[in-house]
Amino acid sequence: GESVGLHLPTLSVQEGDNSIINCAYSNSASDYFIWYKQESGKGPQFIIDIRSNMDKRQGQRVTVLLNKTVKHLSLQIAATQPGDSAVYFCAEPNTGNQFYFGTGTSLTVIP
Amino acid sequence: DVKVTQSSRYLVKRTGEKVFLECVQDMDHENMFWYRQDPGLGLRLIYFSYDVKMKEKGDIPEGYSVSREKKERFSLILESASTNQTSMYLCASRGRAGGNEQYFGPGTRLTVT
């Protein structure tokens, strides 16, 4: 079957360091991916997206990299801050308006 | 600013009760979704709706039903709550045009005792 969003469950980084959160997917036909951030007690929030015709997309302090050869994408957060502590998901839109979500990676920023 | 609201942040119900979870969006979105979120399992789709009075089953519809009488409102109904329905419930909406992202509400943490 298809799956997306195979994450490592936890990641701890020192404040000021860069964070890299990884996600693997299995459907090679996937053409679009989204990263969400979910803070404690809140719903997921859109961070950044990327289409399959791109290898890299940058936002404010975040960069998403897509490697279609190995079906892997990553979210890089520069100069990680305490407010970045959250669970991060990658998601893949499916047909019929559905999305596949992974279990997420819990990022903890150590002051 | 886009907004998805859910009627309750925390809810405690007894086994066998009928439970209504309400979701309202103010973005005139056609598509609305209900998920449940459990530790280690991520977000799982229960039901979604792509238009008023239309609904489609997601991955785990058993024990749930939904209602979409107005475009802005999507209700999740637990006909007879059970302890295994204790979970975080998240509502989301998505427009037909424009970006593909879903906008989520803050979630309702339901405990069934």
Side-chain angles (χ1 to χ4, degrees), chain A residues 65-78:
Chain A
L65 300 177
L66 177 61
N67 185 332
K68 295 179 284 293
T69 303
V70 294
K71 290 184 281 189
H72 179 273
L73 65 159
S74 66
L75 178 72
Q76 300 179 3
I77 305 172

Side-chain angles (χ1 to χ4, degrees), chain A residues 26-91:
Chain A
S26 61
N27 183 4
S28 55
S30 298
D31 61 355
Y32 180 71
F33 301 91
I34 305 174
W35 280 99
Y36 284 92
K37 172 185 179 183
Q38 186 176 20
E39 296 175 85
S40 181
K42 297 183 179 180
Q45 262 190 308
F46 171 88
I47 305 174
I48 192 168
D49 58 5
I50 188 167
R51 296 201 174 273
S52 61
N53 60 354
M54 304 170 71
D55 297 323
K56 179 180 179 179
R57 189 164 188 216
Q58 287 185 290
Q60 188 178 12
R61 279 201 309 118
V62 295
T63 301
V64 57
L65 300 177
L66 177 61
N67 185 332
K68 295 179 284 293
T69 303
V70 294
K71 290 184 281 189
H72 179 273
L73 65 159
S74 66
L75 178 72
Q76 300 179 3
I77 305 172
T80 313
Q81 302 169 359
D84 295 326
S85 291
V87 177
Y88 292 82
F89 302 90
C90 67

Side-chain angles (χ1 to χ4, degrees), chain A residues 36 38 41 43 51 96-97 99, chain B residues 9 31 33 37 48 100 102 105:
Chain A
Y36 284 92
Q38 186 176 20
R51 296 201 174 273
N97 289 311
F99 279 73
Chain B
R9 293 300 304 275
N31 302 291
F33 307 81
Q37 184 177 30
F48 68 98
N100 282 307
Q102 293 186 344

Side-chain angles (χ1 to χ4, degrees), chain B residues 57-87:
Chain B
K57 293 180 180 179
D59 298 322
I60 51 163
E62 295 79 20
Y64 304 94
S65 62
V66 290
S67 173
R68 184 120 181 249
E69 296 297 317
K70 293 185 178 181
K71 191 176 186 181
E72 67 270 19
R73 187 179 298 268
F74 192 33
S75 303
L76 180 69
I77 304 152
L78 286 66
E79 296 291 341
S80 178
S82 63
T83 54
N84 63 12
Q85 291 178 309
T86 292
S87 186

